[in-house]
Amino acid sequence: MNGGTAHEAVPGAVHEAVPGGGREHAVWTRARLEPCAPPLDLLTARFDRHRYAPHYHEEFTVGVCVGGSEVIDYRGGRLDVGPGTIVVLAPGEVHTGGPGHHQGGYAYRAMYPAPHLLAEGIVTAPHFGDPVLHDPELAAALRTAHTELSAHAADPLETESRLPWLLTALARRHGTARLLCDTIPGADHIARAVRDRLADELLAPPSLAELAAPLGLSRYQLLRAFRTSTGMPPYAWLAQHRVTRARALLEAGLRPAETASMVGFADQAHLTRWFRRVLGVTPAAYRTSVQSSRNSVQDGGRTTP
């Protein structure tokens, strides 16, 4: 769960040949979690033989091993990391990294969040006594979020909602800090206010911070209240609201590409992803189906002279 210091991260891929014909592969990308705030660096890496020199990061390192095994020297000991394992390394802590005892090298996805991104649901600073964590559900969620953010597949509201929520869950589940109270009074009122604003600003929705500030809440509190009331985060509600609006436009005969921009999706691919998640079919297939049904009804209503 390494890589040069996070400040050296540059979008793009780096491929290096290594002795024996293997290949080293690392890709740095960046995600914007907060308006006017530094980006979050994301690293996707697959190494056969590469060993990191002792180094440290100014941010937390949160990584998920996705293949092979890695050995990390950390805090005077040695960490053995295998697939599905989450590793959390504290800011300023010197560590190394290299292939483990098994053949095949190691592969991982890592992110480098500032401490405050792990602290929104806790009272004191996040601290992890055990850097190697076994939490399959959270590991899968972190890996999925990392994959989609690395591919720039999420919109700003989704990005701002998703990773801080997962990082807060990481600190609350596995850290030693005192937790904030989970009960947010007036959750239904909060959710209704957020839904109304998102529906009104469909094409250019406010950020999570902009939604939370007028309600006197932190981002975490707003997410907790909204999830308590609706069972989903704001970005998921917004996407489903957009899908509902898109259905009406498709039924009216508009094509998916023009429909996407009219309801606030980034492009047709973005519309298609959410359409399939919500309805199980693509927008094009839905449009064809409703048009065919309409024609069938019209044909069936004709009388023979």
Side-chain angles (χ1 to χ4, degrees):
M1 312 304 166
N2 300 277
T5 62
H7 295 296
E8 296 172 355
V10 177
V14 178
H15 304 270
E16 298 178 356
V18 296
R23 292 191 65 83
E24 310 289 74
H25 173 84
V27 180
W28 282 98
T29 52
R30 283 181 161 175
R32 181 75 63 178
L33 298 186
E34 303 169 279
C36 304
L40 174 71
D41 286 309
L42 306 166
L43 172 63
T44 303
R46 166 70 175 88
F47 294 126
D48 290 326
R49 302 183 181 183
H50 180 68
R51 295 183 182 277
Y52 287 101
H55 65 285
Y56 68 91
H57 304 280
E58 296 180 0
E59 305 82 8
F60 272 97
T61 299
V62 177
V64 179
C65 181
V66 299
S69 64
E70 183 182 8
V71 174
I72 301 172
D73 293 320
Y74 181 71
R75 290 180 176 171
R78 176 158 289 190
L79 310 178
D80 292 308
V81 181
T85 301
I86 301 172
V87 177
V88 183
L89 307 180
E93 293 277 3
V94 175
H95 58 280
T96 64
H101 307 296
H102 305 288
Q103 296 290 330
Y106 58 107
Y108 64 91
R109 289 181 173 270
M111 60 189 73
Y112 302 88
H116 77 273
L117 292 174
L118 284 78
E120 295 194 10
I122 58 181
V123 177
T124 54
H127 174 74
F128 298 86
D130 188 347
V132 180
L133 309 174
H134 301 277
D135 187 331
E137 179 187 27
L138 186 56
L142 285 167
R143 179 177 179 178
T144 298
H146 188 294
T147 299
E148 294 186 1
L149 292 175
S150 297
H152 305 290
D155 62 26
L157 182 62
E158 179 176 356
T159 301
E160 190 189 6
S161 302
R162 198 167 179 183
L163 265 186
W165 179 265
L166 292 175
L167 293 172
T168 295
L170 177 69
R172 289 172 63 89
R173 287 190 189 187
H174 300 287
T176 58
R178 188 159 56 94
L179 307 184
L180 285 173
C181 178
D182 272 350
T183 303
I184 309 297
D188 290 342
H189 169 76
I190 292 168
R192 187 162 50 251
V194 171
R195 292 198 305 266
D196 288 346
R197 187 169 177 189
L198 290 175
D200 289 343
E201 302 179 45
L202 186 68
L203 300 183
S207 68
L208 195 62
E210 290 169 336
L211 289 168
L215 298 171
L217 302 172
S218 69
R219 293 186 307 177
Y220 175 80
Q221 289 172 322
L222 184 139
L223 283 169
R224 173 62 67 181
F226 198 91
R227 282 174 173 265
T228 297
S229 178
T230 68
M232 65 182 69
Y235 74 83
W237 182 89
L238 176 60
Q240 295 199 30
H241 182 69
R242 285 170 167 166
V243 166
T244 299
R245 296 282 295 272
R247 288 179 66 181
L249 296 175
L250 293 168
E251 289 168 10
L254 274 70
R255 297 187 178 278
E258 56 187 332
T259 297
S261 62
M262 293 179 68
V263 299
F265 285 113
D267 51 30
Q268 184 175 340
H270 194 194
L271 167 65
T272 299
R273 278 198 304 277
W274 275 103
F275 216 89
R276 293 193 66 182
R277 287 178 184 178
V278 175
L279 298 178
V281 297
T282 67
Y286 179 82
R287 179 177 180 271
T288 299
S289 176
V290 295
Q291 293 295 317
S292 298
S293 298
R294 177 176 300 171
N295 293 336
S296 297
V297 170
Q298 291 174 345
D299 291 342
R302 293 173 182 167
T303 58
T304 303

